[in-house]
Amino acid sequence: MNFSARTSLRFAAQLDVAIVGAGIVGAACALECVESGLSCCLIEPDVVGGGATAAGMGHIVVMDDSEAQFQLTQYSASLWHELAPRLPADCEYLPCGTLWVAADAEEMEEVHRKQAFYRERGVRASVLDEQQLAGAEPNLRRGLAGGLLVPDDFAVYAPCVARYLVEAAGATGRLQFVAKRTRSLADGAVTFEDGEALTAGVVVNATGAAARHFVPGLDIQPRKGHLLITDRYPGFVQHQIIELGYLKSAHSISSDSVAFNVQPRRTGQILIGSSRQYGVEDPMIDGAMLARMLRRAIEYMPELSTCSGIRAWTGFRAATPDKLPMIGMAPGYSRVYIASGHEGLGITTALGTAKLLVDRILKRHSAIPAEPYRVDRSMVAHG
Ligand SMILES: Cc1cc2nc3c(=O)[nH]c(=O)nc-3n(C[C@H](O)[C@H](O)[C@H](O)COP(=O)(O)OP(=O)(O)OC[C@H]3O[C@@H](n4cnc5c(N)ncnc54)[C@H](O)[C@@H]3O)c2cc1C
């Protein structure tokens, strides 16, 4: 990296922004801050992009759960399309599209609903029948009803993107990096585990699933997920393929679930997901959950049973009750902002999050309405 970690916390001038956490969200916020002329300090005791960002699939996907989710994912995807030509090769940009798979007639109805939703909002999407689906992905099992191809979605290797964003921010000369673990946050102040502290105009809590530890009452819960990556099988899978049942899995906010979700990697490897578990904070691999996830994948793609898995891991999504991230001022504070709660879409929405966050800090107009992501929305809703 072309920026150096600070050993002393004396800065030449008052810092505008101190960002805690250098996952993809903190990294994107840091770049947006310095590109907007703010001086910024990024605080991360571990590897940049080494948290949920390294555990995720890196699927950049426009979603339609709600109008607010659509707006943030579409806005972010447009920012990703601008960024993509600048990304170094190790970010593994792969324009694979998304293929949503319908198992039966009921899910085919969902394919048509989804296509209409996307089309009305200018997102390209085409319906595939059974034969077209088999032609697009010959390793899917026969007898599936069809699918929806969304060609402009893509995949990246997110930890390298996070590193690239931090390097790009460092190159402006307005970013400082502090390799310390944060103990607590207050208005315009960060205190570290070693007792040292720094002050800044505002503080941003971008610590992902850990965000609730620094701001009391923040309704963000860890949601555990497993992934497995195989050896190299170039051409085995062409698209990011997801069963439409995934939506049921992602919607459940209390029970454990698995869904078929595979991604081709530039290396020829296949990334297989995914699981969702609530109320578990142990990062160890849960053998039963991993087996359940792989059985689901093999149901959809029987030949996967002949592929060698070389590594499995877990990560924690930062889940909110309404499945939307929290972007803005923390309730009860005047100089602490939150950028967390992105659940399974934080890689997709990191760039839009950074824009909305810095818009809030600088009191700028935003390209999309920021209200749905207000941190105090549950309090607003409950009067
Ligand atoms: C299995 C799985 C699959 C996923 N797939 C996708 C996908 O395909 N597409 C997508 O868009 N999203 C996906 N996600 C979600 C995505 O990975 C996350 O939403 C995103 O990475 C969150 O980024 P973040 O920067 O908020 O958090 P993190 O990457 O967790 O970063 C938080 C950072 O804060 C730091 N931190 C924590 N505590 C402290 C402290 N005390 N002091 C200083 N720093 C601290 C951590 O070290 C960490 O680096 C997936 C997640 C999982 C688990």
Side-chain angles (χ1 to χ4, degrees), residues 321-339:
D322 64 2
K323 299 181 290 292
L324 292 174
M326 295 182 173
I327 308 166
M329 183 76 78
Y333 294 81
S334 59
R335 293 196 287 146
V336 174
Y337 287 80
I338 310 293

Side-chain angles (χ1 to χ4, degrees), residues 261-345:
N261 185 354
V262 295
Q263 179 184 88
R265 303 295 317 173
R266 269 216 178 274
T267 53
Q269 293 169 285
I270 307 161
L271 192 49
I272 304 175
S274 60
S275 67
R276 284 182 150 80
Q277 287 170 277
Y278 258 110
V280 185
E281 302 211 21
D282 176 1
M284 292 295 287
I285 287 180
D286 174 340
M289 183 54 70
L290 183 62
R292 192 176 147 196
M293 183 186 97
L294 294 176
R295 275 197 303 277
R296 186 70 177 170
I298 289 165
E299 270 174 39
Y300 275 82
M301 238 178 194
E303 287 299 305
L304 276 176
S305 61
T306 65
C307 298
S308 302
I310 59 171
R311 194 166 74 86
W313 64 88
T314 67
F316 290 92
R317 307 170 180 94
T320 61
D322 64 2
K323 299 181 290 292
L324 292 174
M326 295 182 173
I327 308 166
M329 183 76 78
Y333 294 81
S334 59
R335 293 196 287 146
V336 174
Y337 287 80
I338 310 293
S340 177
H342 297 80
E343 220 274 4
L345 287 171

Side-chain angles (χ1 to χ4, degrees), residues 186-200:
D187 277 323
V190 180
T191 303
F192 299 103
E193 290 287 4
D194 63 9
E196 281 202 88
L198 67 74
T199 57

Side-chain angles (χ1 to χ4, degrees), residues 54-216:
M57 273 190 135
H59 181 208
I60 307 302
V61 54
V62 176
M63 292 288 284
D64 62 342
D65 246 18
S66 62
E67 202 59 54
Q69 187 193 61
F70 171 78
Q71 289 195 348
L72 186 58
T73 53
Q74 190 199 37
Y75 176 43
S76 298
S78 71
L79 298 169
W80 272 104
H81 284 291
E82 282 170 29
L83 177 70
R86 282 160 44 199
L87 290 175
D90 64 2
C91 296
E92 294 183 34
Y93 168 77
L94 187 70
C96 54
T98 305
L99 188 50
W100 294 93
V101 173
D104 52 29
E106 188 190 345
E107 289 186 0
M108 239 5 233
E109 279 178 27
E110 173 61 11
V111 159
H112 289 287
R113 187 209 59 77
K114 212 168 164 59
Q115 185 200 33
F117 182 97
Y118 285 141
R119 283 217 167 147
E120 281 162 19
R121 291 160 183 80
V123 176
R124 295 196 300 157
S126 47
V127 174
L128 308 188
D129 63 19
E130 184 180 344
Q131 283 70 35
Q132 289 166 323
L133 180 66
E137 289 291 350
N139 281 313
L140 281 171
R141 76 160 196 258
R142 292 295 162 272
L144 293 164
L148 184 73
L149 178 62
V150 184
D152 297 325
D153 291 346
F154 58 95
V156 293
Y157 186 53
C160 285
V161 178
R163 188 220 56 222
Y164 167 76
L165 296 172
V166 176
E167 284 177 355
T172 65
R174 285 193 289 276
L175 181 75
Q176 307 286 339
F177 194 84
V178 174
K180 283 177 180 277
R181 189 166 298 279
T182 298
R183 182 198 295 159
S184 62
L185 304 182
D187 277 323
V190 180
T191 303
F192 299 103
E193 290 287 4
D194 63 9
E196 281 202 88
L198 67 74
T199 57
V202 299
V203 170
V204 178
N205 178 356
T207 56
R212 69 196 192 285
H213 299 312
F214 303 104
V215 171

Side-chain angles (χ1 to χ4, degrees), residues 342-361:
H342 297 80
E343 220 274 4
L345 287 171
I347 299 166
T348 300
T349 55
L351 302 183
T353 295
K355 288 274 185 206
L356 292 181
L357 179 90
V358 178
D359 291 344
R360 303 282 73 67
I361 293 172

Side-chain angles (χ1 to χ4, degrees), residues 195-267:
E196 281 202 88
L198 67 74
T199 57
V202 299
V203 170
V204 178
N205 178 356
T207 56
R212 69 196 192 285
H213 299 312
F214 303 104
V215 171
L218 210 55
D219 198 355
I220 292 180
Q221 298 302 321
R223 200 174 197 187
K224 185 174 176 178
H226 288 72
L227 292 180
L228 177 138
I229 195 156
T230 69
D231 209 340
R232 296 172 189 233
Y233 302 97
F236 189 97
V237 177
Q238 306 291 336
H239 306 87
Q240 176 100 25
I241 313 176
I242 313 181
E243 63 163 296
L244 272 160
Y246 169 90
L247 300 170
K248 293 173 206 149
S249 145
H251 283 172
S252 162
I253 56 162
S254 54
S255 56
D256 295 354
S257 59
V258 294
F260 167 63
N261 185 354
V262 295
Q263 179 184 88
R265 303 295 317 173
R266 269 216 178 274
T267 53

